[in-house]
Amino acid sequence: MSHSDIFPTYRPPDWYPLQRALALVFGTAAIDATASFWFIGFVQGPADVGELRLYEYSTTRRRIALDRNGGAYRWFDEIGGYSRVDHEEALIGALV
């Protein structure tokens, strides 16, 4: 087992998708709400989408998964993976 298997290469947080999703649903003033989220990391999304970014809302500890363009996804146990959902549904689910 190599060092990179235990400690993956550092990648800086990608805040753009969250900023874009917040602006689409709540308006550009909501971009400041990004400060209330933690960047959790990158996960594998659907094959046709690729990598997703995970963010956790600091108050509820609920997560939202977004693609690089701000498209929203949710984990479904039934399919064992992420599937696309409505932006508003995903954000409200994380915030409430």
Side-chain angles (χ1 to χ4, degrees), residues 73-92:
Y73 294 80
R74 192 174 118 210
W75 177 268
F76 290 93
D77 286 332
E78 302 84 28
I79 63 169
Y82 289 94
S83 186
R84 183 120 192 191
V85 293
D86 178 72
H87 282 100
E88 187 171 348
E89 173 189 336
L91 281 166
I92 298 297

Side-chain angles (χ1 to χ4, degrees), residues 13-93:
D14 183 3
W15 293 106
Y16 172 76
L18 181 60
Q19 292 168 341
R20 181 174 164 91
L22 287 166
L24 284 171
V25 174
F26 301 112
T28 55
I31 291 173
D32 292 339
T34 304
S36 298
F37 285 81
W38 297 314
F39 182 78
I40 303 301
F42 299 91
V43 296
Q44 189 58 40
D48 61 334
V49 175
E51 201 170 57
L52 300 176
R53 289 99 176 112
L54 284 180
Y55 307 91
E56 186 173 300
Y57 185 54
S58 60
T59 303
T60 62
R61 304 284 173 106
R62 293 187 181 163
R63 294 181 177 182
I64 182 170
L66 302 169
D67 64 23
R68 69 176 173 217
N69 297 316
Y73 294 80
R74 192 174 118 210
W75 177 268
F76 290 93
D77 286 332
E78 302 84 28
I79 63 169
Y82 289 94
S83 186
R84 183 120 192 191
V85 293
D86 178 72
H87 282 100
E88 187 171 348
E89 173 189 336
L91 281 166
I92 298 297

